[in-house]
Amino acid sequence: MKVLALSGSNADNSFNEKLLKAIIKDLGDKYDFDFATVKGLPMYKEGVDAPASVLALGKKIADTDMVLIASPEQQHSVSSALKSALEWLSSSVHPFHDKPVVIVSTSPMPQGASRSQTRLKSILGAPGFSAHVFAGDEFMMGLAPKQFDDKGDLTDAGTLKFLNHFFDEVDDWYAQLTK
């Protein structure tokens, strides 16, 4: 299965980007991952044609089997960079139509960006998306600075065990959705 791992952060030292890269490293033999980020995309502006960088991201999304979004939390919501990218994508190219989407998140705080996941699920249910969002177990990793070693690998055995369980559920859901 071809999976686009999309970082919703524009931070220079993004824990959510580290999480995606750890997932890619840990599960790279199970999925065909491609990585993308919203970092560097221009802010959405109504009435303006989507720039080439947004169109390229839209093509990556359209050409994949499933999108895995790592969503940081800012002020109890998704990052402005992710929201802006989604506004471009929902108003110009619509690559999320009937696309399976899975959300993960991490945060320095104990709750692991749970509110951003809730907000993102709501956004992806809005007109212009029509995505199929995974609604099983949620992967929200708290205390991010303590979760990675110097190489960016996840260090907690319980976290790794749950991550694998989470993706087993994703696989079952995807199989049901695409049969």
Side-chain angles (χ1 to χ4, degrees), residues 110-145:
Q111 68 271 24
S114 61
R115 289 176 232 140
S116 100
Q117 285 201 21
T118 300
R119 297 279 193 188
L120 184 53
K121 288 175 183 176
S122 176
I123 292 166
L124 291 170
F129 288 104
S130 301
H132 299 284
V133 181
F134 178 69
D137 275 337
E138 297 175 310
F139 187 85
M140 297 174 271
M141 186 177 75
L143 308 173

Side-chain angles (χ1 to χ4, degrees), residues 61-130:
I61 292 167
D63 290 347
T64 195
D65 298 315
M66 183 171 71
V67 180
L68 171 64
I69 301 175
S71 181
E73 184 172 313
Q74 295 174 340
Q75 281 66 33
H76 297 188
S77 191
V78 300
S79 70
S80 56
L82 178 58
K83 180 68 167 79
S84 177
L86 293 172
E87 288 172 347
W88 280 118
L89 294 166
S90 69
S91 66
S92 60
V93 292
H94 308 285
F96 285 99
H97 183 75
D98 283 334
K99 186 70 59 181
V101 177
V102 176
I103 303 167
V104 295
S105 61
T106 188
S107 168
M109 304 305 292
Q111 68 271 24
S114 61
R115 289 176 232 140
S116 100
Q117 285 201 21
T118 300
R119 297 279 193 188
L120 184 53
K121 288 175 183 176
S122 176
I123 292 166
L124 291 170
F129 288 104
S130 301

Side-chain angles (χ1 to χ4, degrees), residues 19-31 33 152-154 159-165 167:
L19 175 60
L20 284 180
K21 290 181 178 179
I23 290 170
I24 291 168
K25 187 174 181 180
D26 189 54
L27 299 173
D29 59 337
K30 189 174 180 179
Y31 304 100
F33 282 107
D153 295 328
L154 293 171
T159 299
L160 287 167
K161 181 179 178 182
F162 182 75
L163 182 65
N164 282 285
H165 164 76
F167 276 95

